[in-house]
């Protein structure tokens, strides 16, 4: 049996964290209302969404033409999912009422046979399910399923869930074991079906998810054969080549894949569902595939910030160790997806490596997507920018130096919104005899074994205090994830030092707990230098800085330009600037005595430059580009 | 008056150089015959050329459809130009007869009104001159003019020249001052017209060249207004956007341009003609524009090897200091064009910087285009390759690790062939009172002032011996270009040390010369380290090696992979491996005690790598990729 553990639901966890609670509030107070206005086309000057109008047309309330991406419906579903979590974090009756009304609208748009997709209802009813490569019907369904499960779980209201289940039945009738083979062009429905499975317990949803995973890549010509010609129409906004079997991971059966290839979000969504199915169905072969692809991504294709996707060309992985900093794609959605994948892996095997990557994504790759004020979002998260080149010259068009306004393709902001508001689900798990704490995020959790409070000054201080209120009088374990960057820590129970066993990155403390027992973990959060495997050409000879879970970067505004003239010698001491609540929303920054090359005008010279001392300052990577357009780099010459 | 000096013609110079004579022989014995076979479609497995067939159809000899690029004719013209120089280097009666026959064919293809372009004669006679942006009629004309001038000068035969002059008259009638405004979509006719002017002395050709230069960029909408719609047909093999005024340098009048932008070959061809016209017409404004753009290119946009064009996207310049090594375009033709431009600049002002760049291109950027056996050619000349990435992943498709077979667009090999066979033209110039020696290439020259012999072991040894046989008994100067990388040299006349005056990079020795007088220049050719302006992000923290005119590089076959794990500390002594005639066609290689990072498996680590000593070996850049596919870099970490 796969050692399956259960993540706590959002209702069991209340986030009370100085770092994350403020960010959850940004989402509930800024992002979710803004997203709603966008969906309703109420933001002056913003790109038209039309998403609600599409549903109104599909419901027959109004007449007109569909507008937007073929997957525009998913914006509404993702917003509803974020609303569900948002209501759990901060109840808001008016918002809930409006969400209920939107759900009513969605229910009315659903067709008698359960089908639901506004594009095909309005524009091409005769072409339903005819082009799975490009038309995103299953993708939208997946987001509906996730929203429905979330809304049911957080509000107790089942209307959207019933819409989702009717659509799921429709899909199972068509694509289940007795139906045709359907390979989703953009993985997501598999995640959604597993959410439905976990919420309802109905095996059929898990079976359908598993089948969608297993049919992929069985026939490499599937999309060539099954994609009808459609001259002049680009369903996805661009031409998806059915021959490109990497793009949607159809180059091989998922169980046989050895390297993560193609579109990074598609891949990580697929892996998220694979890990979930593997755990639920005790499928060791599938689990092994997840582990293999996890290793490939995290050991050969992941940026230091957790970003994945090395090329803007089709937002894709490229090849092992190809990690150009200035041309990275590193989509915010892909970091969100890696957090999903990490959480699912944790649930089938609580290992520190999964919690480490989860943490990395949360504090870096994902979080950099959001401006500190919550008003703008990056889709692309490079590790180096130069305003003269980034966003300007060929090959760099996708790399922006400042977060743009709302996109026509609004995938990333709602993805970030739903992850941050549902953060509570990522913190704790529970098995028959163990409570797992994956992250040092201040929170109060109700588990089967105990009520437990974690107070922490993370990520700025290495101190976590757990207070337990056991519900059982038998012994059980508290397993605390110790991040891999913590070389040495002190663990105390009620003030007494203990030697706990560190297994797979978790400190296991087993005992018969008494009410009010306290476990304190303390460790130094010293700044550390990080080096990359020399096979990563872009990082050779360079060093990056981190402190705790936070990866740092250098910006021109602090250090002058060009940043490429700077060097941080190995001998330089990295100093901490004490936490400053006024700086970048509250942060610890780092300084060091560095060197700047002085250079005359020539392009090339046999005379080496003279280096002059210069104080360097590094800020948290997630906070970059909050002070205007300027150069930035994570990796600096050593 | 612009201080115009006269380059010697090929008939005045015989190259007798150990380095270049062998390469000229490769061209005469391998490349020129191979090109002829390609033109005649006699190479099994090679891409169809059809160029001769096109002329036969245009002449009415056979029936059929045009095949090939719209500028396919230029392949024949460039071959004929190379044949002309080849016959000067190595007479070959059979070859000359076949060339004469080809000229007969071309003459028969010419239309009664002088027009000559096989595509439009065969396929679209009604569309002549209707699409200057894409159709390359003037481009092909320019190559015809160059070939005609060369063939006349080197063989004394005027048939092709008369074809050219008839076509030139046709062009002047249409586009001259009394005709319409025509802006060539790909600059080249301006060079060709100036060649006709220099050969015939007819002012009309110079006037037409000047007009073609001056009309460019006057109306930024010119190509938008004058490019007819042509659905479905891509004249140039790809869609040239008339809005892209950078691409063909029509963004501003040529005299107002401050930065080199757009397609690198188009730009450098344009500048070549501009310099020529400036000298001939004593046009200081035009000369100033040349100097300004020369500075911009060589001080901000040129790779260390002389390569220009930082992006494969439209083979273009990008922005100042953007010089990615692994994504360079650096077209061989662009290096050839820079040699042209340098030579024209030398002729209007004999300054060392022009001779330095000419030399740089000849020994590096241009020469790397050719395999050592003369059988394969690079179009793209990167300064770093990694076979896992180069030619494989998006954005790197254009960068190949090995020279490819003959291309459908065969622009580069004949360009290289005509430059190498006509090398004699680049070595010497003469003014009223001075003989200029621009390069240390062993040769015998007949100038107005003297017969002069230069013997040299360049580029491997720093020794040049001039022997003069004056034709005049008045004093005149010998001005010897001392490359800028020579810090100290000794000059002797008949064994006696002299202190010559070094002006603008030339050592001027003035005297009444006696028959047999010898001037000997000696200097150390020590390996040297080169550093780049820190604004060049790709080269920051790196060093490159050069010795004399030769830029060096590191290959995996000599140094192991990954090259990114290697470092060449500043303290390491660079040693010369004495000239080895058996190594890479005869070369001095360099070695140094370097360091290799030892690294375990992890992608990232806080533990810096251990460095182990490793002997590094560098080879001449021009000789890279002659021993199979492997990594290569010019810039190595210091």
């Amino acid at each position: 049996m796969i050692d399956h553990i259960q993540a706590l639901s959002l209702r069991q966890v209340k986030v009370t964290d100085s770092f994350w609670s403020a960010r959850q509030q940004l989402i509930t107070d800024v992002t979710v209302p803004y997203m709603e206005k966008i969906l309703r086309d109420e933001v002056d000057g913003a790109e038209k969404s039309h998403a609600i109008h599409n549903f109104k047309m599909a419901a027959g309330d109004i007449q007109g033409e569909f507008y937007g991406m073929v997957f525009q419906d998913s914006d509404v579903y993702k917003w509803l999912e974020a609303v569900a979590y948002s209501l759990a974090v901060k109840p808001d009756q008016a918002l809930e009422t409006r969400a209920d009304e939107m759900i009513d609208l969605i229910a009315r748009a659903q067709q008698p046979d359960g089908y639901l997709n506004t594009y095909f209802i309005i524009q091409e009813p005769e072409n339903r399910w005819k082009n799975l490569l490009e038309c995103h019907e299953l993708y939208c369904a997946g987001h509906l399923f996730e929203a429905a499960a979330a809304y049911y779980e957080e509000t107790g209201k089942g209307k959207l869930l019933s819409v989702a289940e009717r659509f799921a039945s429709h899909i199972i009738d068509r694509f289940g074991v007795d139906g045709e083979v359907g390979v989703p062009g953009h993985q997501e429905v598999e995640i959604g079906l597993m959410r439905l499975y976990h919420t309802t317990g109905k095996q059929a949803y898990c079976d359908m998810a598993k089948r969608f995973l297993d049919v992929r890549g069985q026939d490499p010509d599937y999309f060539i054969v099954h994609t009808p010609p459609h001259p002049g129409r680009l369903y996805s906004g661009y031409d998806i080549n059915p021959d490109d079997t990497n793009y949607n991971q159809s180059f091989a059966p998922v169980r046989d894949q050895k390297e993560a290839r193609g579109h990074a979000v598609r891949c990580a969504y697929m892996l998220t569902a694979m890990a979930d199915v593997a755990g639920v169905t005790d499928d060791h072969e599938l689990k092994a595939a997840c582990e293999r692809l996890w290793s490939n991504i995290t050991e050969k294709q992941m940026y230091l910030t957790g970003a994945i996707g090395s090329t803007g060309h089709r937002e894709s992985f490229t090849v092992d160790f190809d990690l150009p900093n200035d041309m990275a794609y590193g989509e915010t959605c892909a970091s969100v997806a890696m957090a999903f994948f990490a959480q699912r892996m944790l649930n089938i095997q609580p290992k520190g490596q999964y919690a480490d990557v989860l943490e990395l994504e949360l504090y870096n790759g994902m979080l950099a997507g959001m401006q500190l004020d919550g008003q703008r979002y990056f889709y692309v998260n490079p590790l180096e920018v130069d305003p003269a080149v980034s966003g300007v010259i060929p090959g760099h068009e996708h790399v922006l130096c400042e977060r743009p306004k709302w996109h026509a393709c609004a995938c990333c902001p709602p993805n970030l919104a739903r992850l941050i508001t549902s953060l509570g689900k990522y913190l704790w798990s529970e098995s028959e005899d163990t409570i797992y704490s994956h992250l040092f995020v201040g929170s109060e959790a109700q588990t089967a074994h105990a009520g437990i409070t974690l107070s922490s000054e993370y990520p700025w201080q290495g101190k976590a205090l757990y207070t337990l209120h056991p519900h059982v009088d038998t012994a059980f374990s508290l397993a605390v994830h110790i991040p891999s960057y913590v070389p040495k820590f002190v663990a105390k129970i009620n003030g007494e030092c203990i030697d706990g066993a560190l297994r797979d990155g978790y400190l296991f403390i087993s005992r018969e707990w008494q009410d009010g027992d306290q476990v304190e973990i303390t460790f130094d959060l010293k700044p550390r230098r990080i080096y990359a495997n020399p096979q990563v050409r872009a990082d050779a000879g360079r060093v990056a800085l981190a402190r705790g879970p936070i990866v740092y970067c250098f910006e021109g505004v602090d250090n002058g330009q060009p940043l490429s003239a700077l060097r941080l010698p190995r001998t330089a001491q990295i100093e901490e600037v004490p936490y400053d609540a006024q700086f970048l929303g509250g942060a610890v920054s780092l300084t060091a005595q560095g060197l700047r090359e002085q250079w005359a005008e020539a392009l090339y010279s046999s005379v080496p430059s003279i280096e002059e001392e210069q104080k360097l300052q590094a800020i948290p990577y997630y906070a970059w580009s909050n002070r205007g357009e300027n150069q930035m780099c994570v990796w600096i010459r050593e």
Side-chain angles (χ1 to χ4, degrees), chain A:
Chain A
M1 279 290 287
I2 291 175
D3 178 26
H4 196 64
I5 62 174
Q6 187 66 47
L8 296 199
S9 78
L10 204 48
R11 277 164 301 147
Q12 295 173 272
V13 183
K14 181 175 164 59
V15 174
T16 57
D17 188 73
S18 57
F19 187 87
W20 285 108
S21 295
R23 284 169 172 87
Q24 288 194 327
Q25 194 182 334
L26 268 184
I27 301 290
T28 59
D29 296 2
V30 178
T31 312
V32 167
Y34 187 79
M35 279 163 61
E36 184 182 353
K37 284 207 181 91
I38 290 279
L39 294 175
R40 296 186 188 278
D41 293 306
E42 293 171 357
V43 180
D44 284 344
E47 195 140 358
K48 185 160 96 170
S49 161
H50 209 258
I52 304 296
H53 281 82
N54 291 338
F55 274 102
K56 284 183 180 166
M57 284 186 286
D61 295 356
I62 58 172
Q63 298 294 311
E65 294 275 310
F66 177 93
Y67 177 89
M69 298 285 181
V70 74
F71 47 86
Q72 205 81 347
D73 292 359
S74 64
D75 288 357
V76 177
Y77 300 144
K78 280 154 100 176
W79 178 76
L80 280 170
E81 189 184 349
V83 167
Y85 305 138
S86 181
L87 293 172
V89 167
K90 181 183 175 189
D92 179 336
Q93 191 52 55
L95 173 64
E96 186 166 339
T97 301
R98 294 199 305 280
D100 288 343
E101 287 166 7
M102 213 176 280
I103 289 166
D104 291 341
L105 172 63
I106 292 167
R108 282 188 289 112
Q110 187 168 36
Q111 301 297 288
D113 63 354
Y115 182 85
L116 182 50
N117 181 290
T118 70
Y119 175 78
F120 285 96
I121 291 171
I122 300 167
Q123 296 297 129
E124 298 188 38
E126 70 284 9
N127 286 329
R128 281 185 190 182
W129 304 127
K130 292 218 175 124
N131 183 337
L132 297 190
L133 176 68
E134 298 172 301
C135 290
H136 286 71
E137 291 155 286
L138 290 170
Y139 171 86
C140 290
H143 279 299
L144 168 63
F145 299 167
E146 289 204 85
Y151 207 78
Y152 173 72
E153 284 170 0
E154 307 310 337
T155 68
K157 293 176 180 172
K159 185 160 189 176
L160 194 61
L161 184 62
S162 114
V163 169
E165 289 202 66
R166 284 177 59 209
F167 195 14
S169 292
H170 176 99
I171 289 169
I172 292 166
D173 285 347
R174 181 158 197 124
F175 298 109
V177 281
D178 299 327
E180 68 189 79
V181 169
V183 183
H186 189 317
Q187 297 91 323
E188 161 62 26
V189 72
E190 306 86 342
I191 294 177
L193 285 162
M194 288 309 290
R195 284 297 302 273
L196 285 188
Y197 164 77
H198 289 295
T199 300
T200 66
K202 295 178 187 168
Q203 185 61 32
Y205 302 144
C206 178
D207 292 347
M208 188 69 246
K210 180 169 179 300
R211 179 165 157 86
F212 276 136
L213 291 170
D214 277 336
V215 294
R216 182 175 304 277
Q218 298 292 349
D219 173 10
D221 288 343
Y222 172 85
F223 285 119
I224 298 172
V225 172
H226 289 88
T227 303
H230 48 91
R233 164 164 288 291
L234 297 176
Y235 284 109
S236 299
Y238 58 95
D239 205 13
I240 299 181
N241 177 2
D243 290 332
D244 185 354
T245 55
N246 273 359
Y247 181 61
N248 46 32
Q249 297 77 42
S250 62
F251 55 90
V254 298
R255 292 160 190 274
D256 298 343
Q257 295 184 19
K258 292 177 181 59
E259 292 165 333
R261 290 291 177 258
H263 189 259
V265 173
R266 281 170 166 78
C267 183
Y269 277 9
M270 176 180 85
L271 291 166
T272 298
M274 281 167 64
D276 203 342
V277 170
V280 166
T281 63
D282 197 33
D283 186 332
H284 287 263
E285 189 185 49
L286 203 55
K287 176 171 175 251
C290 289
E291 289 169 342
R292 206 162 52 233
L293 291 164
W294 173 273
S295 296
N296 175 257
I297 292 172
T298 60
E299 293 167 17
K300 294 182 177 166
Q301 300 200 77
M302 192 172 73
Y303 287 92
L304 184 63
T305 57
I308 54 171
S310 299
T311 177
H313 181 82
R314 301 283 154 95
E315 312 171 332
S316 288
F317 292 106
T318 57
V319 295
D320 294 350
F321 300 112
D322 177 49
L323 294 163
N325 293 306
D326 58 349
M327 297 179 78
Y329 199 74
E331 188 176 344
T332 305
C333 284
S335 280
V336 169
M338 277 302 286
F340 294 163
F341 182 28
Q343 186 207 32
R344 304 309 195 273
M345 291 303 283
L346 268 182
N347 287 342
I348 60 175
Q349 200 159 15
K351 285 190 173 182
Q353 59 177 308
Y354 305 129
D356 284 333
V357 169
L358 173 59
E359 186 184 78
L360 181 72
E361 299 293 358
L362 290 173
Y363 287 94
N364 303 281
M366 179 276 285
L367 191 55
M370 183 166 74
Q371 198 158 282
L372 289 175
D373 63 8
Q375 300 199 352
R376 289 186 173 213
Y377 293 84
F378 273 133
Y379 290 61
V380 172
N381 294 282
L383 280 74
E384 180 169 327
V385 298
D386 175 0
V389 167
S390 309
V392 177
I393 71 159
H396 295 257
E397 294 95 338
H398 62 291
V399 180
L400 302 183
C401 295
E402 292 193 274
R403 291 170 186 82
K405 286 188 186 167
W406 205 263
H407 280 210
C409 171
C411 57
C412 296
N415 237 344
L416 211 143
R418 65 184 179 134
L419 177 56
I420 291 179
T421 47
S422 65
L423 181 65
K425 296 169 68 173
Y426 294 78
L427 310 181
W428 304 89
S429 300
E430 191 170 22
S431 69
E432 268 186 28
D433 58 2
T434 308
I435 300 170
Y436 290 91
S437 163
H438 303 304
L439 301 169
F440 295 129
V441 172
S443 53
E444 298 163 16
Q446 286 302 331
T447 74
H449 292 90
I452 187 165
T453 304
L454 166 58
S455 66
S456 137
E457 290 303 313
Y458 224 61
W460 309 120
Q461 288 182 40
K463 188 173 166 185
L465 181 68
Y466 296 83
T467 307
L468 284 85
H469 305 285
H471 301 151
V472 295
D473 50 14
T474 51
F476 64 89
S477 297
L478 173 65
V480 176
H481 171 234
I482 306 295
S484 62
Y485 50 77
V486 175
K488 214 173 68 178
F489 61 92
V490 174
K492 290 182 183 169
I493 297 186
N494 302 327
E496 301 278 315
C497 283
I498 56 156
D499 281 334
L502 201 58
R503 283 208 314 269
D504 277 342
Y506 282 79
L507 174 69
F508 282 78
I509 307 169
S510 303
R511 57 187 273 149
E512 288 177 19
W513 298 89
Q514 304 302 314
D515 192 65
D517 272 358
Q518 290 197 314
V519 174
E520 191 188 57
I521 313 283
T522 52
F523 49 89
D524 276 351
L525 269 189
K526 284 195 182 142
R528 62 190 187 281
R529 287 171 182 254
I530 302 180
Y531 302 92
N533 188 313
Q535 291 189 75
V536 182
R537 285 185 298 128
D539 300 339
R542 297 184 178 210
V543 63
L545 299 182
R547 181 176 177 276
I550 306 290
V551 173
Y552 281 74
C553 71
F554 300 85
E555 284 199 291
V557 65
D558 299 312
N559 298 287
Q561 302 191 159
L563 295 178
S564 48
L566 298 175
R567 197 158 72 78
L568 176 56
R570 192 167 294 185
T571 50
Q573 190 71 31
I574 314 296
E575 310 278 355
E576 298 175 11
V577 179
Y579 179 82
D580 178 352
Q582 305 308 313
F583 186 58
L584 294 170
V588 170
S589 52
L590 305 178
T591 62
Q593 198 61 51
L595 297 167
R596 174 176 284 282
E597 281 189 60
Q598 304 300 315
W599 187 267
E601 284 300 299
L603 181 53
Y604 304 110
S605 170
S606 284
V607 181
S609 56
I610 293 162
E611 290 184 321
E612 290 189 357
E613 291 209 333
Q614 182 189 316
K615 192 95 165 180
L616 304 183
Q617 180 170 17
I619 62 161
Y621 171 73
Y622 70 74
W624 83 275
S625 189
N626 276 279
R627 294 171 294 167
E629 184 179 271
N630 72 146
Q631 291 187 348
M632 181 278 290
C633 66
V634 168
W635 294 95
I636 192 166
R637 287 194 291 124
E638 188 176 81

